[in-house]
Amino acid sequence: MKRMKWFEKVTLLLTVGIWGNASSVNAQQMSVAADGSGNFRTIQAAIASLPDHAAQQRVITIKKGTYREQVSIDGKDHITLRGASEKDVIITFARARDAYRCEGNTDDWGVATLNLRNAPDITLENLTVINSYGFDATGDVTIDCPTDASKKKTISKTGHQMALRTLPGTTRLVVRHCTFRALGGDTVSPWDTEVGMYYFQDCTLEGGVDFYCPRGWAYAENCRFICHSTSAAIWHDGSGNADSKTVLKNCSFEGDPGFKLGRYHRESQFYLVGCKFSKDMADADIYHAPSGPGTPKWGRRVYYSNCKRQGGDFAWFKDNLASAPGAPKLASLTADWTFGGRWFPVSGQPATVRLASIDPTNTHATAPKPEAGIDSVAEKMLVYQRAVGGWPKAVGEAKVDYKRPMSAQLRAATLADAKRIDATIDNNATTREIRHLTTAFKQTQNAAYKQAAERGVRYLLAMQYANGGFPQYYPDRSNYRHQITYNDNAMVQVLRVLRSVAQGEGDFALFDPALKPLAQDAVTRGIDCILKTQYVQNGKLTAWCAQHDEKTLLPAKARNFELASLSGAETVGIVEFLLGVDNPSPEVKKAIGSAVAWLETVKMPGLALQEITDPKQPTGRDRIVVPTAGATLWARFYELDTNRPIYVGRDSQARYSLAEIENERRANYAYAGTWPAKLLATEYPQWQKKWENGKSGL
């Protein structure tokens, strides 16, 4: 009997533990080999096999080979990727950030060869990571780009190309004996302004402008920097904390003739100690880029000590450590000093200072809370959530920006303001927070995020009118805020979130089951409202207005330049939502077909919208409608009963030419666009094929 139990235990470890699908100590190491001699053939498969969280480091050993794959660590901690050697293990992938964004990706998640997000305590050793786009490209190319105003984008072989990209939640990153290569900018982009801490040792970094651009705290020692840009090699953003800094010790810099050492756009703090510069480096100090938000409030903080240049030193990098905060001595500028008690990557002693996003009102502690389970953006969302359950889009004139650092004073003031009645669904407010918090909960298992997201859903349910419509704000009913609002897809975004809750889609499956029937009822009533607000013109269904009266359901005016009219933009969002209705009723089919027919009727062929620079205009730029063969344009607003395009300025007078309204409105508001193009070309035909068998449904 004892022998049987022993045998069963060994079998279990061999069949489960070694493959990384169990949390036993035997699952802490595994190997990857492209030739099949390891536990996995791809690095990503090995990462996917690991549980999200562990108390000890899990080591993935990567055997010699070239791995042509994109690698991501998302919501997992304590993982080491250890190659056989820096030159023998190559991870390579080609991606230009500009092209990636043209595909509809609004952030940089997935833009790099190696991507990290919400992944504390990651170690990279003995690897070469390459974004080969610029090396592979033969030249610049122009591609279709729906997200660009011109609908085209020229992709440069020297544009942004990330080899390593880390997003918020990745901190205490250790990188040893690694090479990162790209031809373009931002090659190594570890970005978490508030809690990011990064340690590089004996590494080679190569790229274009700002190719080493950490945010937060960073330390690099004995590293080689190779620059292919005359703008700047290194960059830093330390705006999250006055103590944030980037320290480069005993590093070497080389590159194309005339390359500049560095620059900064925001708050920053540079220390270069014992560095060596090639003769090709320009005679230009680290400088403030004018495209930043303004003069740094903490001033210029650039410090040098014992740096040398081949061919002769420049005066600007003479020793000036005595002018740095606290006048540190050269010997004290170590890795442990760099992180100011928040992390000790060399000595390994416990941290003595908490990170600001964990407890911004008490930064000193002897027993810091762990960072696993923390999403820095989600933490700010918790602070901004109003007592009613929704979120504001702005506080006064300042837009809510979760990328900005949050001081202890701002956090306290925002929490004290929780009873404000400025919660809204305008500009994706509330729906974006619900989605982000839902994803953050899945990745971190932080119950506070799930609770906040569910409160947000209950807020949406509470604000809905009995007829199914949603106002722009709740409970504020002032001005036009009480109207049923399709403007900027506000109501559509709400219905999409509620449909995901009702159907338990993706991460929404983790929500309280009691919300499902409530959400489904809200979606049903919302669709009924959409059908009832579709405007009837001479007995024929057409489109929707950006706003409708919540009682009469008729088109309504909002701001002075938003008259009661049919919308060439909002109609698209409504139809796209209806296309997602499963087993659509005859009424839904008719609404879709009628709206599509209307969009075909009101299109303006042979015209395109062009943005130009015009110094004579108050804004210095302009938008004009120009004849263009093969182009098609739609107006944002059409007269209710004539379908004639109208353009309305702040004087609230309808005009029939874009050129007739004031430049401030022309330059800053979308009066014309190509919103229906994708719907008409692909989405609607695909829907017809599925639900109408080639018939329009009219």
Side-chain angles (χ1 to χ4, degrees), residues 430-444:
T430 299
T431 53
R432 69 169 171 173
E433 284 85 357
I434 291 172
R435 290 189 180 279
H436 185 94
L437 287 162
T438 302
T439 300
F441 169 68
K442 174 67 177 297
Q443 294 169 343
T444 67

Side-chain angles (χ1 to χ4, degrees), residues 23 27 440 512 594 670:
S23 59
D512 181 355
S594 299

Side-chain angles (χ1 to χ4, degrees), residues 57 73 76 78-79 116 119-124 172-174:
Q57 208 72 6
I73 302 178
K76 296 176 183 279
H78 291 92
I79 296 175
L116 308 177
D121 299 300
I122 303 299
T123 297
L124 310 174
R172 296 188 298 269
L173 172 68
V174 174

Side-chain angles (χ1 to χ4, degrees), residues 45 84 178 181 228 254 291 317 343 380 387 501 517:
C178 289
R181 297 189 65 216
H228 299 300
E254 60 193 87
S291 55
F317 61 78
W343 182 39
K380 295 173 191 173
V501 174

Side-chain angles (χ1 to χ4, degrees), residues 371-389:
E371 262 52 74
I374 293 297
D375 177 306
S376 60
V377 171
E379 289 293 302
K380 295 173 191 173
M381 289 178 173
L382 297 183
V383 175
Y384 274 102
Q385 188 172 27
R386 299 312 196 196
V388 72

Side-chain angles (χ1 to χ4, degrees), residues 116-121 167-171 191-192 195 371 374-376:
L116 308 177
R117 178 171 66 180
N118 290 318
D121 299 300
L167 290 177
T170 296
T171 189
W191 281 15
D192 189 330
V195 301
E371 262 52 74
I374 293 297
D375 177 306
S376 60

Side-chain angles (χ1 to χ4, degrees), residues 534 571-572 574-580 584 586 588-600 675-698:
Q534 190 170 17
T571 291
V572 174
I574 294 170
V575 172
E576 288 177 333
F577 170 75
L578 293 178
L579 293 180
V588 169
K589 292 180 180 179
K590 184 175 182 179
I592 292 171
S594 299
V596 166
W598 181 82
L599 289 168
E600 290 283 4
W675 308 286
K678 184 178 179 182
L679 170 67
L680 299 180
T682 60
E683 294 172 341
Y684 177 64
Q686 290 172 358
W687 177 87
Q688 278 188 304
K689 185 176 181 180
K690 180 177 181 180
W691 295 111
E692 290 291 335
N693 296 319
K695 298 180 181 180
S696 68
L698 295 176

Side-chain angles (χ1 to χ4, degrees), residues 261 277 281-286 300 302-309 311-321:
L261 179 58
F277 308 127
M281 186 179 73
D283 186 1
D285 199 353
I286 293 174
R300 170 184 165 81
V302 181
Y303 310 107
Y304 301 97
S305 179
N306 196 31
C307 293
K308 301 294 180 182
R309 174 182 171 269
D313 296 343
F314 295 134
W316 49 263
F317 61 78
K318 66 180 180 181
D319 292 8
N320 65 341
L321 270 186

